[in-house]
């Protein structure tokens, strides 16, 4: 379970998160929508401790992420994150990209790591690209590789930060299909997204962020059909 | 006007002697590169440090090494330090001068390579559970290595050619030193220096070709 309690976060004078409360249960898929600069992406990087927070707390399975005593390297093994920029490691093949962390962080043997990597790469449809370098892959393929790379650490939670925003329109579908597959398998996911169709079809709950505040959260039918908040309605009408 | 008669026989007879000199040249170049690369790594770290006391001397080193003639740097190591009673042999002074020069240039090469790698690469590594040192070693270093490899080999060629400046501080065992001695004894200036030039050229070419081959084998991405 991920518990976010009254989290505040600023970059200098700019307040990015102004008291966020959100609990995500095991197996749940929560989509986070909202305009640019609403703090959605920042929240994700706070959850896995890549960014410090000013106040409040975030608990992952009861472990406080920003406590001094928390071993973040260990905690991050169970929280996978995929970014908008694919961040493929260009000097490694697709297979090596995916086996790197299992081998060097978890200490797995090469053959064990490769077995897991091949499984996940097949899963995301890259089983025939094992020996290829990322520069030879399309954006969609690189992003699917990044998803497999995160999954190879067998995380309990997956965070997706606008994973289709840097893709050509015709490549968005293949990545969203991969996310749907994961959701169907019961992965706990928080997806920051601009894909309203995806948010509506796949999520258990949709949260709308507006200027650092979670203005509204609810089941997709309610958010997309009968939003209570004025800002939510305005945002949804502008993206449709 | 052009009644000079070429006499190559003496030069060709002296070839083994000159090749021995070339070996000394190579030795100085290799040592100066090893020392230069090592110091350059420390300089690069110091220049990126937040402490002014580390940054300032490293910056001074780089500025002097890159903006003054290499000849002066070697002169300073021999005659300059000699004024303070520190006497370095021509061999050591030449080695020190070239290593000083190499370190200055290579520091900037390494810094440039580091800057060329986006911070998001480290972020991706950290998010997979790597500590900062591990992420640097596994993700940043291999990429830096590729970016800086050919520029570093360029500097190696430059180091080989710089060894010829040793003759000005009395170096007489390297290729230029040997050639100069032969020239002084025979006055066959053109022949001997032309031969030496060919040897320098071949060494430089071989180093660059070797480097390209290694790069092609090693960096498949």
């Amino acid at each position: 379970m991920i518990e976010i309690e009254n989290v505040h976060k600023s970059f200098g004078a700019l307040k990015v998160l102004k008291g966020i409360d959100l609990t995500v249960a095991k197996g749940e898929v929560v989509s986070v929508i909202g305009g640019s600069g609403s703090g959605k992406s920042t929240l994700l990087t706070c959850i896995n401790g890549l960014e410090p927070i000013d106040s409040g707390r975030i608990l992952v399975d009861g472990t406080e992420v920003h406590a001094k005593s928390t071993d973040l390297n260990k905690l991050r093994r169970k929280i996978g994150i995929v970014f908008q920029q694919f961040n493929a490691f260009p000097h490694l093949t697709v297979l090596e990209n995916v086996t790197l962390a299992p081998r060097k962080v978890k200490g797995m043997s090469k053959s064990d790591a490769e077995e897991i990597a091949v499984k996940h790469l097949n899963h995301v449809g890259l089983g025939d690209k094992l020996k290829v370098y990322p520069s030879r892959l399309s954006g969609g393929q690189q992003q699917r590789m990044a998803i497999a790379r995160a999954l190879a650490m067998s995380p309990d939670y997956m965070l997706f930060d606008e994973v289709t925003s840097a893709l050509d329109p015709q490549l968005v579908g293949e990545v969203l299909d991969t996310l749907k597959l994961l959701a169907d398998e019961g992965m706990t996911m928080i997806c920051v997204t601009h894909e309203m169709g995806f948010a509506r079809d796949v999520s258990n709950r949709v949260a709308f962020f507006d200027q650092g505040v979670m203005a509204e959260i609810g089941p997709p039918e309610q958010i997309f059909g009968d939003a209570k908040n004025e800002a939510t309605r305005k945002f949804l009408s502008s993206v449709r | 006007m052009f009644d000079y008669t070429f006499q190559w026989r003496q030069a060709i007879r002296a070839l083994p002697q000159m090749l021995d000199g070339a070996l000394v040249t190579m030795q100085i170049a290799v040592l100066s590169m090893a020392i230069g690369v090592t110091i350059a790594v420390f300089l690069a770290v110091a220049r990126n440090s937040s402490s002014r006391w580390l940054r300032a001397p490293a910056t001074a080193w780089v500025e002097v090494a890159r903006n003054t003639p290499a000849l002066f740097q070697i002169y300073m190591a021999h005659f300059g330090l000699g004024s303070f009673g520190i006497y370095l042999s021509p061999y050591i002074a030449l080695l020190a001068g070239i290593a000083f020069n190499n370190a200055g240039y290579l520091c900037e090469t390494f810094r440039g390579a580091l800057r060329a790698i986006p911070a998001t690469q480290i972020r991706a590594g950290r998010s997979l559970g790597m500590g900062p040192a591990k992420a640097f070693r596994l993700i940043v270093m291999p990429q830096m290595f590729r970016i800086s490899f050919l520029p570093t080999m360029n500097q190696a060629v430059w180091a080989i050619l710089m060894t010829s400046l040793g003759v000005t501080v009395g170096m007489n065992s390297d290729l230029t030193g040997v050639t100069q001695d032969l020239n002084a004894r025979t006055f066959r200036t053109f022949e001997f220096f032309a031969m030496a030039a060919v040897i320098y050229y071949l060494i430089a070419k071989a180093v660059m070709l070797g480097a390209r081959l290694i790069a092609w084998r090693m960096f498949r991405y």
Side-chain angles (χ1 to χ4, degrees):
Chain A
M1 191 159 69
I2 297 176
E3 297 158 277
I4 299 163
E5 294 170 5
N6 196 23
V7 165
H8 289 257
K9 160 88 187 162
S10 315
F11 290 114
L14 182 70
K15 288 192 168 129
V16 194
L17 299 176
K18 303 171 190 165
I20 301 294
D21 287 288
L22 174 65
T23 302
V24 179
K26 265 273 161 76
E28 201 180 11
V29 177
V30 175
S31 287
V32 181
I33 60 172
S36 299
S38 59
K40 323 180 289 291
S41 297
T42 305
L43 183 68
L44 291 192
T45 47
C46 289
I47 291 174
N48 80 346
L50 281 173
E51 289 286 350
I53 58 176
D54 300 339
S55 64
R57 60 179 197 162
I58 299 175
L59 301 171
V60 174
D61 292 341
T63 306
E64 192 174 342
V65 177
H66 296 90
K68 276 213 173 78
S69 57
T70 300
D71 181 350
L72 276 176
N73 293 335
K74 209 169 163 191
L75 185 73
R76 285 184 187 130
R77 294 184 201 176
K78 61 168 146 184
I79 312 170
I81 185 164
V82 181
F83 300 97
Q84 181 177 345
Q85 319 87 347
F86 329 120
N87 296 338
F89 303 138
H91 60 299
L92 300 176
T93 63
V94 167
L95 186 62
E96 288 164 346
N97 257 275
V98 179
T99 54
L100 184 69
R103 289 180 63 194
K104 303 293 180 180
V105 175
K106 280 189 162 175
M108 266 188 202
S109 73
K110 192 171 179 225
S111 58
D112 285 355
E114 284 184 348
E115 198 183 317
I116 290 176
V118 169
K119 188 185 91 186
H120 287 294
L121 284 166
N122 277 328
H123 207 67
V124 300
L126 291 175
D128 56 338
K129 302 280 186 200
L130 302 180
K131 302 282 175 206
V132 171
Y133 284 98
S135 57
R136 297 286 172 86
L137 298 181
S138 72
Q141 289 170 329
Q142 289 193 42
Q143 193 59 299
R144 284 185 280 141
M145 183 195 80
I147 294 170
R149 189 169 71 183
L151 290 175
M153 292 297 281
S154 326
D156 297 327
Y157 305 95
M158 284 292 288
L159 312 175
F160 294 98
D161 184 9
E162 298 188 27
V163 290
T164 57
S165 297
L167 294 176
D168 291 338
Q170 73 269 27
L171 300 178
V172 168
E174 63 186 65
V175 172
L176 290 184
D177 287 344
T178 306
L179 298 196
K180 274 182 198 154
L181 206 64
L182 272 180
D184 289 342
E185 289 166 2
M187 175 61 79
T188 312
M189 296 162 47
I190 304 180
C191 309
V192 168
T193 185
H194 290 303
E195 299 293 331
M196 296 305 146
F198 171 82
R200 188 193 344 231
D201 297 344
V202 179
S203 337
N204 301 107
R205 284 188 296 159
V206 176
F208 172 69
F209 272 47
D210 183 37
Q211 293 171 24
V213 176
M214 191 164 73
E216 191 166 0
I217 184 164
E221 311 81 61
Q222 184 244 311
I223 297 290
F224 290 104
D226 179 29
K228 301 274 180 288
N229 188 293
E230 179 61 29
T232 315
R233 280 203 295 272
K234 213 168 150 198
F235 174 76
L236 287 175
S237 67
S238 72
V239 294
R240 254 168 215 169
Chain B
M1 171 197 143
F2 197 84
D3 54 3
Y4 185 79
T5 323
F6 291 106
Q7 296 207 6
W8 291 99
R9 189 169 301 165
Q10 272 176 315
I12 288 167
R13 214 180 298 144
L15 191 60
Q17 234 177 309
M18 291 173 78
L19 290 177
D20 283 346
L23 278 181
V24 176
T25 291
M26 295 285 285
Q27 188 187 41
I28 296 172
V30 168
L31 283 175
S32 75
M33 280 303 287
I35 299 167
V37 166
T38 311
I39 296 174
V41 169
F42 285 105
L43 287 180
V45 171
R47 285 206 74 182
N48 280 347
S49 139
S50 54
S51 152
R52 200 152 51 96
W53 298 104
L54 284 176
R55 243 182 11 245
T59 304
W61 183 316
V62 170
E63 287 292 312
V64 174
R66 286 165 32 112
N67 298 304
T68 62
L71 176 66
F72 291 14
Q73 294 163 19
I74 295 161
Y75 251 58
M76 278 298 184
H78 190 64
F79 300 115
L81 292 180
S83 318
F84 303 109
I86 304 166
Y87 179 74
L88 300 184
S89 71
Y91 184 96
I92 297 296
L94 179 62
L95 180 59
I98 299 174
F100 175 83
N101 188 281
N102 285 345
Y105 276 95
L106 292 172
C107 165
E108 293 304 273
T109 301
F110 296 162
R111 253 161 44 94
L114 182 62
R115 280 201 189 170
I117 296 155
T120 49
Q121 287 279 308
I122 285 271
R123 200 158 237 245
R126 298 299 309 274
S127 70
L128 289 166
M130 294 176 199
K134 196 173 267 186
F136 186 81
R137 185 166 56 81
L138 295 173
I139 296 167
V140 176
M141 283 240 294
Q143 296 186 58
M144 275 181 72
F145 187 63
R146 175 186 174 150
I147 296 170
S148 53
F149 180 73
L150 285 178
T152 301
M153 294 319 277
N154 258 331
Q155 183 68 27
V157 168
W158 183 225
I160 292 166
L161 301 183
M162 270 194 288
T163 57
S164 65
L165 297 170
V167 77
T168 62
V169 293
M171 183 77 190
N172 58 8
S173 54
D174 72 314
L175 179 52
T176 302
V178 169
T179 310
Q180 175 72 320
D181 274 359
L182 291 164
N183 171 47
R185 273 190 269 137
T186 62
F187 295 107
R188 286 284 159 199
T189 309
F190 182 88
E191 287 87 339
F192 280 111
F193 278 96
M195 283 260 292
V198 168
I199 297 173
Y200 276 115
Y201 181 88
L202 291 177
I203 295 172
K205 269 291 169 195
V207 168
M208 234 30 223
L209 276 175
R212 291 238 169 79
L213 199 69
I214 291 169
W216 175 76
R217 276 290 301 150
M218 231 173 8
F219 309 124
R220 282 298 170 91
Y221 59 98

